[in-house]
């Protein structure tokens, strides 16, 4: 059981890296925030649509799975 969960954790970690790298960049927002300019979408409540929204959801789900499996592995290794 421990080995299976550890393998799943490594696979999910690799999938998180891939999902983060596939997300579209937001260079305009970063440049506006760093230069002090008024960024139009920095604090807006717009929901992402299409591929960007899908990748954000995938990243969140993979992150939750990663931390959940990590907590289970900690529990198993301590008992």
């Amino acid at each position: 059981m421990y080995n299976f969960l550890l393998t799943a954790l490594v696979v999910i970690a690799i999938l998180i890296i891939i999902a983060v790298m596939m997300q579209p960049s937001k260079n305009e927002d970063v440049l506006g925030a760093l230069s002090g300019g008024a960024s139009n979408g920095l604090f807006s409540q717009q929901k992402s649509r299409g591929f960007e929204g899908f990748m954000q959801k995938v990243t969140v789900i993979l992150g939750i799975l990663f931390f959940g499996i990590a907590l289970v592995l900690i529990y198993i290794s301590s008992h």
Side-chain angles (χ1 to χ4, degrees):
M1 181 70 172
Y2 182 82
N3 290 333
F4 172 75
L5 289 175
L6 190 61
T7 304
L9 190 70
V10 171
V11 169
I12 290 174
I14 293 169
L15 289 174
I16 288 174
I17 292 169
I18 292 170
V20 168
M21 292 180 72
M22 287 181 63
Q23 289 183 3
S25 63
K26 297 180 182 179
N27 292 334
E28 299 153 1
D29 291 339
V30 174
L31 290 176
L34 291 177
S35 66
S39 176
N40 293 338
L42 186 59
F43 294 110
S44 66
Q45 297 295 328
Q46 296 177 354
K47 289 189 175 184
S48 301
R49 297 175 189 235
F51 181 71
E52 183 179 353
F54 173 72
M55 289 309 298
Q56 285 179 354
K57 289 176 186 175
V58 167
T59 305
V60 168
I61 291 170
L62 288 173
I64 291 170
L65 284 173
F66 181 84
F67 284 109
I69 291 175
L71 290 174
V72 170
L73 282 172
I74 291 170
Y75 179 78
I76 290 174
S77 66
S78 67
H79 285 82

